Amino acid sequence: MRRTWDPIAEMRAANRALKRQMNRDIEEMSRRELLRRGGRIAAGASAAAILFQAGIPVYGRAQETPALPEFDGIPENLKGTGEVRVQSWGGAFQDAQREAYFIPFQELSGITVIESEGPDISKIKAMVDTGNVEQDVVQTDRSDVLLLEKEGDYWEPIDYSIFDVDNIDESRRYKYSVDMLPYATVIGYRNDVFPEGPQGQADFWNQDAFPGPRTTTAGTGGVTPYLEFGLIADGVPLDEVYPVDIDRAYEMFSVLKPNVPKFWEAGAQPAQMLTDNEVVMAHSWNGRMHAIQQEGAPVTVQWNEAQLATDVWATPKGAANAENAQKFMAFITLPVSQARLSYLIPYGSVNNASAALMSPEQLENLPTSPAYLDKMFIRNIDWWVENRSAVIERWNEWILE
């Protein structure tokens, strides 16, 4: 059925296209300005990161920034000189990280933060193997850290003597990484297309009831396909998803494949595709959906049958600024740092003392809220460590079929 012409939607689409072009122009100008000032540009740095590095004020948040908890100083053992090269996941999330703790760390510690985007475990392995380590701290899934642990000496041990260990549970502290961000992968859908949206993964796969293009993760670019969602859509209960039946999951992905114009590799992509109406629903991280909702996108989140996971910080072996990396990780896991990020983008905290710095309403918005926990399953890190290679090998074959 043909859609009627909607001049408002067309105008909004044109405005979004203009905004993207402006961002590209800003990025080019930012790069030139940074180079003029004698700075270096990290590979994959965004426009906002380049502006930050150049010392140019960064604006552009569509909503008013909430009043954030303030730092009353920094422990002396977290101060230093030089720089720390940090790689995260870009987009609205990294914008929030910059405001929550990248800028405060730089100002309070005296250590310059050099940002880049798009951690990729295969690239980290290659960097350590060749002795050309370009990052000091990376945000990644713990399964990535464990996978390289099995292959050799790829990570620097964490120095917990400078961490707030009194408020970070031992279960969140590992030899070569430290938890830094509980988050959920949810279904985001356009409510102007589906006023009554999908109720779970079976509906995500259901083209009859919910027609239109959708997107989910790829098996490249540092991310892995959400095979678990395919099994849930096929009727597997949440508590029986693991061990994943890889063949059965890929059979379900074959059903979905004709309706996926692009499998995403970066967290900003599903948010942008939903905003631009390139897809009608997406598997996406809950904070990315919150960000576009705040910008006015007609998007609703379905928490039912979502996945709860936790990212970690880790330092590649041989990082040039490993000592500063330890200080950075310790600062980012402080109560104020964690609470500030949760206010800016609704991801959970790993520091138990941060809850006292947040309102009850804010705590209810986090993926660790009891209202959501009962609807989700927890990503099984051990299964992914043992099976990631088989999943990716199968992906590389399947995507060409």
Side-chain angles (χ1 to χ4, degrees), residues 273-330:
M273 294 172 76
L274 274 171
T275 300
D276 292 346
N277 207 11
E278 294 178 32
V279 296
V280 295
M281 65 178 72
H283 288 143
S284 180
W285 301 327
N286 71 284
R288 303 301 182 125
M289 294 297 93
H290 174 79
I292 61 174
Q293 286 175 325
Q294 294 297 100
E295 292 174 353
V299 170
T300 298
V301 168
Q302 175 54 259
W303 288 87
N304 192 41
E305 299 177 344
Q307 180 193 77
L308 182 66
T310 303
D311 270 1
V312 298
W313 291 120
T315 294
K317 190 72 174 181
N321 305 294
E323 183 178 351
N324 285 346
Q326 301 283 349
K327 295 175 180 180
F328 174 86
M329 292 185 287

Coordinates of all heavy atoms in Angstrom, one line a residue, residues 273-330:
M273 N 19.3 5.0 11.6 CA 18.4 4.4 10.7 C 17.0 4.5 11.1 O 16.1 4.7 10.2 CB 18.8 2.9 10.5 CG 20.2 2.7 9.8 SD 20.7 0.9 9.8 CE 19.7 0.3 8.5
L274 N 16.7 4.4 12.4 CA 15.4 4.6 12.9 C 14.9 6.1 12.7 O 13.8 6.4 12.3 CB 15.3 4.2 14.3 CG 15.0 2.7 14.6 CD1 15.1 2.5 16.1 CD2 13.6 2.3 14.2
T275 N 15.8 6.9 13.1 CA 15.5 8.4 13.0 C 15.2 8.8 11.5 O 14.3 9.6 11.3 CB 16.7 9.2 13.5 OG1 17.0 8.9 14.8 CG2 16.5 10.7 13.4
D276 N 16.0 8.2 10.6 CA 15.8 8.6 9.2 C 14.7 7.8 8.5 O 14.5 7.9 7.3 CB 17.1 8.4 8.4 CG 18.2 9.4 8.8 OD1 17.8 10.4 9.5 OD2 19.4 9.2 8.5
N277 N 14.1 6.9 9.2 CA 13.0 6.0 8.7 C 13.5 5.1 7.6 O 12.8 4.7 6.7 CB 11.8 6.9 8.1 CG 10.5 6.2 8.2 OD1 10.4 5.1 8.8 ND2 9.5 6.7 7.5
E278 N 14.8 4.7 7.8 CA 15.3 3.7 6.9 C 14.9 2.3 7.3 O 14.8 1.3 6.5 CB 16.8 3.7 6.9 CG 17.4 5.0 6.3 CD 18.9 5.0 6.3 OE1 19.5 3.9 6.3 OE2 19.5 6.1 6.5
V279 N 14.6 2.2 8.6 CA 14.0 0.9 9.2 C 12.9 1.3 10.1 O 12.8 2.4 10.6 CB 15.1 0.1 9.9 CG1 16.2 -0.4 9.0 CG2 15.7 0.9 11.1
V280 N 12.0 0.3 10.3 CA 10.8 0.6 11.2 C 11.1 0.0 12.6 O 10.4 0.4 13.6 CB 9.5 0.0 10.6 CG1 9.2 0.7 9.3 CG2 9.7 -1.5 10.4
M281 N 12.1 -0.9 12.8 CA 12.4 -1.4 14.1 C 13.9 -1.8 14.1 O 14.4 -2.1 13.0 CB 11.5 -2.4 14.6 CG 11.5 -3.7 13.8 SD 10.3 -5.0 14.6 CE 8.7 -4.3 14.2
A282 N 14.5 -1.9 15.3 CA 15.9 -2.2 15.3 C 16.2 -2.8 16.7 O 15.6 -2.5 17.7 CB 16.7 -1.0 15.2
H283 N 17.2 -3.7 16.7 CA 17.9 -4.1 17.9 C 18.9 -3.1 18.2 O 19.8 -2.8 17.3 CB 18.6 -5.5 17.7 CG 17.6 -6.6 17.7 ND1 17.8 -7.7 16.9 CD2 16.4 -6.9 18.3 CE1 16.8 -8.6 17.0 NE2 16.0 -8.1 17.9
S284 N 18.9 -2.5 19.4 CA 19.8 -1.4 19.7 C 20.0 -1.3 21.2 O 19.2 -1.8 22.0 CB 19.2 -0.1 19.2 OG 20.0 1.0 19.5
W285 N 21.1 -0.6 21.6 CA 21.4 -0.4 23.0 C 20.4 0.6 23.5 O 20.1 1.6 22.9 CB 22.8 0.0 23.1 CG 23.8 -1.0 22.5 CD1 23.6 -2.4 22.5 CD2 25.0 -0.8 21.9 NE1 24.7 -3.0 21.9 CE2 25.5 -2.0 21.5 CE3 25.7 0.4 21.6 CZ2 26.7 -2.1 20.8 CZ3 26.9 0.3 20.9 CH2 27.4 -1.0 20.5
N286 N 19.9 0.4 24.8 CA 18.9 1.2 25.3 C 19.2 2.7 25.4 O 18.4 3.5 25.2 CB 18.5 0.7 26.7 CG 19.5 0.9 27.8 OD1 20.5 0.2 27.8 ND2 19.3 1.9 28.6
G287 N 20.5 3.0 25.7 CA 20.9 4.4 25.7 C 20.8 5.1 24.4 O 20.5 6.3 24.4
R288 N 21.1 4.4 23.3 CA 21.0 5.0 22.0 C 19.5 5.3 21.7 O 19.2 6.3 21.0 CB 21.5 4.1 20.9 CG 23.0 3.6 21.2 CD 23.9 4.8 21.2 NE 25.3 4.3 21.4 CZ 26.3 4.7 20.6 NH1 26.1 5.4 19.6 NH2 27.5 4.2 20.8
M289 N 18.6 4.5 22.1 CA 17.2 4.7 21.9 C 16.7 5.9 22.7 O 15.9 6.8 22.2 CB 16.3 3.5 22.2 CG 16.6 2.3 21.3 SD 16.1 2.6 19.5 CE 17.7 3.2 18.9
H290 N 17.2 6.0 23.9 CA 16.8 7.1 24.8 C 17.3 8.5 24.1 O 16.6 9.5 24.2 CB 17.5 7.0 26.1 CG 17.3 8.2 27.1 ND1 16.1 8.4 27.8 CD2 18.1 9.2 27.4 CE1 16.2 9.5 28.5 NE2 17.4 10.0 28.3
A291 N 18.5 8.4 23.6 CA 19.0 9.7 23.0 C 18.2 10.2 21.8 O 17.9 11.4 21.7 CB 20.5 9.4 22.5
I292 N 17.7 9.3 20.9 CA 16.9 9.8 19.8 C 15.5 10.1 20.3 O 14.8 11.0 19.7 CB 16.9 8.8 18.6 CG1 16.3 7.5 19.0 CG2 18.3 8.7 18.1 CD1 16.2 6.5 17.8
Q293 N 15.0 9.5 21.3 CA 13.7 9.9 21.9 C 13.8 11.3 22.4 O 12.9 12.1 22.2 CB 13.3 8.9 23.0 CG 12.9 7.5 22.5 CD 12.6 6.6 23.7 OE1 13.3 6.7 24.7 NE2 11.6 5.8 23.6
Q294 N 14.9 11.6 23.0 CA 15.1 13.0 23.6 C 15.2 14.0 22.5 O 14.9 15.2 22.7 CB 16.3 13.0 24.4 CG 16.3 12.2 25.7 CD 15.2 12.7 26.7 OE1 14.1 12.1 26.7 NE2 15.5 13.8 27.4
E295 N 15.6 13.6 21.3 CA 15.7 14.5 20.1 C 14.4 14.6 19.4 O 14.3 15.3 18.4 CB 16.8 14.0 19.2 CG 18.2 14.2 19.9 CD 19.3 13.6 19.0 OE1 19.0 13.0 18.0 OE2 20.5 13.8 19.3
G296 N 13.4 13.9 19.8 CA 12.1 14.0 19.2 C 11.7 12.9 18.2 O 10.7 12.9 17.5
A297 N 12.6 11.9 18.0 CA 12.3 10.8 17.1 C 11.1 10.0 17.6 O 10.9 9.7 18.8 CB 13.5 9.8 16.9
P298 N 10.1 9.6 16.7 CA 8.9 8.9 17.1 C 9.3 7.4 17.3 O 8.9 6.5 16.6 CB 8.0 9.0 15.9 CG 9.0 9.2 14.7 CD 10.2 9.9 15.2
V299 N 10.0 7.1 18.4 CA 10.5 5.8 18.7 C 10.1 5.4 20.1 O 10.1 6.1 21.1 CB 12.0 5.8 18.6 CG1 12.6 4.4 19.1 CG2 12.4 6.0 17.1
T300 N 9.6 4.1 20.2 CA 9.3 3.5 21.5 C 10.2 2.3 21.7 O 10.6 1.6 20.8 CB 7.8 3.1 21.5 OG1 7.0 4.2 21.3 CG2 7.4 2.4 22.8
V301 N 10.5 2.0 23.0 CA 11.4 0.9 23.4 C 10.5 -0.2 23.9 O 9.6 0.0 24.8 CB 12.4 1.4 24.4 CG1 13.1 0.1 25.0 CG2 13.4 2.3 23.8
Q302 N 10.8 -1.4 23.5 CA 10.2 -2.6 24.0 C 11.3 -3.4 24.8 O 12.3 -3.9 24.2 CB 9.7 -3.5 22.9 CG 9.1 -4.9 23.4 CD 8.1 -4.8 24.5 OE1 8.4 -5.0 25.7 NE2 6.9 -4.4 24.1
W303 N 11.1 -3.5 26.1 CA 12.1 -4.1 27.0 C 11.9 -5.6 27.1 O 12.8 -6.3 27.6 CB 12.0 -3.5 28.4 CG 12.5 -2.1 28.5 CD1 11.9 -0.9 28.3 CD2 13.9 -1.7 28.9 NE1 12.7 0.1 28.5 CE2 13.9 -0.3 28.8 CE3 15.0 -2.4 29.2 CZ2 15.0 0.4 29.1 CZ3 16.2 -1.7 29.5 CH2 16.2 -0.3 29.5
N304 N 10.7 -6.1 26.7 CA 10.5 -7.5 26.9 C 11.4 -8.3 26.0 O 11.7 -8.0 24.8 CB 9.0 -7.8 26.5 CG 8.6 -9.2 26.9 OD1 9.0 -9.7 28.0 ND2 7.9 -9.9 26.0
E305 N 12.0 -9.4 26.6 CA 13.0 -10.3 25.9 C 14.2 -9.6 25.4 O 14.8 -9.9 24.4 CB 12.3 -11.0 24.7 CG 11.1 -11.9 25.2 CD 10.3 -12.5 24.1 OE1 10.5 -12.1 23.0 OE2 9.6 -13.5 24.4
A306 N 14.6 -8.5 26.2 CA 15.9 -7.8 25.9 C 17.0 -8.6 26.5 O 16.9 -9.5 27.3 CB 15.8 -6.4 26.5
Q307 N 18.3 -8.2 26.2 CA 19.5 -8.8 26.7 C 20.2 -7.8 27.6 O 20.4 -6.6 27.2 CB 20.4 -9.2 25.6 CG 21.7 -9.9 26.1 CD 22.7 -10.0 25.0 OE1 23.4 -9.1 24.6 NE2 22.8 -11.2 24.4
L308 N 20.6 -8.2 28.8 CA 21.4 -7.4 29.7 C 22.8 -7.9 29.6 O 23.1 -9.1 29.7 CB 20.9 -7.6 31.1 CG 21.6 -6.7 32.2 CD1 21.3 -5.2 31.9 CD2 21.1 -7.1 33.6
A309 N 23.7 -6.9 29.4 CA 25.2 -7.2 29.4 C 26.0 -6.1 30.0 O 25.4 -5.1 30.4 CB 25.6 -7.4 27.9
T310 N 27.2 -6.3 30.2 CA 28.1 -5.3 30.8 C 29.4 -5.2 30.1 O 30.1 -6.2 29.8 CB 28.4 -5.7 32.3 OG1 27.2 -5.8 33.0 CG2 29.2 -4.6 33.0
D311 N 29.8 -4.0 29.7 CA 31.1 -3.7 29.0 C 32.1 -3.5 30.1 O 31.8 -3.2 31.3 CB 31.0 -2.5 28.1 CG 30.6 -2.8 26.7 OD1 30.3 -4.0 26.4 OD2 30.5 -1.9 25.9
V312 N 33.4 -3.7 29.6 CA 34.5 -3.5 30.5 C 35.5 -2.5 29.9 O 35.5 -2.2 28.7 CB 35.3 -4.8 30.8 CG1 34.3 -5.8 31.5 CG2 35.8 -5.4 29.5
W313 N 36.4 -2.0 30.8 CA 37.6 -1.3 30.3 C 38.7 -2.3 30.4 O 38.8 -3.1 31.3 CB 37.9 -0.1 31.3 CG 37.0 1.1 31.3 CD1 36.4 1.6 32.4 CD2 36.8 2.0 30.2 NE1 35.7 2.7 32.0 CE2 35.9 3.0 30.7 CE3 37.1 2.0 28.9 CZ2 35.4 4.0 29.9 CZ3 36.7 3.0 28.1 CH2 35.8 4.0 28.6
A314 N 39.6 -2.1 29.4 CA 40.9 -3.0 29.4 C 42.0 -2.2 28.7 O 41.7 -1.4 27.9 CB 40.6 -4.3 28.7
T315 N 43.2 -2.5 29.1 CA 44.4 -1.9 28.5 C 45.2 -2.9 27.7 O 45.7 -3.9 28.3 CB 45.3 -1.3 29.6 OG1 44.5 -0.2 30.2 CG2 46.6 -0.7 29.1
P316 N 45.4 -2.7 26.4 CA 46.2 -3.7 25.6 C 47.6 -3.7 26.1 O 48.2 -2.7 26.6 CB 46.1 -3.1 24.2 CG 44.9 -2.2 24.2 CD 44.8 -1.7 25.6
K317 N 48.2 -4.9 26.0 CA 49.6 -5.1 26.5 C 50.5 -4.2 25.6 O 50.4 -4.1 24.4 CB 50.0 -6.6 26.3 CG 51.3 -6.9 26.9 CD 51.2 -7.0 28.4 CE 52.5 -7.5 29.0 NZ 52.4 -7.5 30.5
G318 N 51.4 -3.5 26.3 CA 52.4 -2.7 25.6 C 51.9 -1.3 25.4 O 52.6 -0.5 24.6
A319 N 50.7 -0.9 25.9 CA 50.2 0.5 25.7 C 51.2 1.5 26.2 O 51.8 1.3 27.3 CB 48.9 0.6 26.4
A320 N 51.4 2.5 25.4 CA 52.5 3.5 25.8 C 52.1 4.3 27.0 O 53.0 4.7 27.8 CB 52.7 4.5 24.6
N321 N 50.9 4.4 27.3 CA 50.4 5.2 28.5 C 49.7 4.4 29.5 O 48.6 4.7 30.0 CB 49.6 6.4 28.0 CG 50.3 7.2 27.0 OD1 51.3 7.9 27.3 ND2 49.8 7.2 25.8
A322 N 50.2 3.2 29.8 CA 49.5 2.2 30.6 C 49.2 2.8 32.0 O 48.2 2.5 32.6 CB 50.3 0.9 30.7
E323 N 50.2 3.5 32.6 CA 49.9 4.1 33.9 C 48.8 5.1 33.9 O 47.9 5.1 34.8 CB 51.2 4.7 34.4 CG 51.1 5.3 35.8 CD 52.4 5.9 36.3 OE1 53.4 5.8 35.7 OE2 52.3 6.5 37.4
N324 N 48.7 5.9 32.9 CA 47.6 6.9 32.8 C 46.3 6.1 32.5 O 45.3 6.6 33.0 CB 47.9 7.9 31.7 CG 48.9 8.9 32.1 OD1 49.3 9.0 33.3 ND2 49.5 9.6 31.1
A325 N 46.4 5.0 31.8 CA 45.2 4.2 31.6 C 44.6 3.7 32.9 O 43.4 3.7 33.1 CB 45.5 3.1 30.6
Q326 N 45.4 3.3 33.8 CA 45.0 2.8 35.1 C 44.3 3.9 35.8 O 43.2 3.7 36.4 CB 46.1 2.3 35.9 CG 46.9 1.1 35.3 CD 46.2 -0.2 35.4 OE1 45.2 -0.3 36.1 NE2 46.7 -1.2 34.7
K327 N 44.8 5.1 35.8 CA 44.3 6.3 36.5 C 42.9 6.6 35.8 O 42.0 7.0 36.6 CB 45.2 7.4 36.4 CG 46.5 7.2 37.2 CD 47.5 8.4 37.0 CE 48.8 8.1 37.8 NZ 49.8 9.2 37.7
F328 N 42.9 6.6 34.5 CA 41.6 6.9 33.8 C 40.5 5.9 34.2 O 39.4 6.3 34.5 CB 41.9 6.8 32.3 CG 40.6 6.9 31.5 CD1 40.2 8.2 31.1 CD2 40.0 5.8 31.0 CE1 39.0 8.3 30.3 CE2 38.8 5.9 30.2 CZ 38.4 7.2 29.9
M329 N 40.8 4.6 34.2 CA 39.8 3.6 34.5 C 39.3 3.7 36.0 O 38.2 3.6 36.3 CB 40.4 2.2 34.3 CG 40.6 1.9 32.8 SD 41.1 0.2 32.5 CE 42.8 0.2 33.1
A330 N 40.3 4.1 36.9 CA 39.9 4.2 38.3 C 39.0 5.4 38.4 O 38.0 5.4 39.2 CB 41.2 4.4 39.1

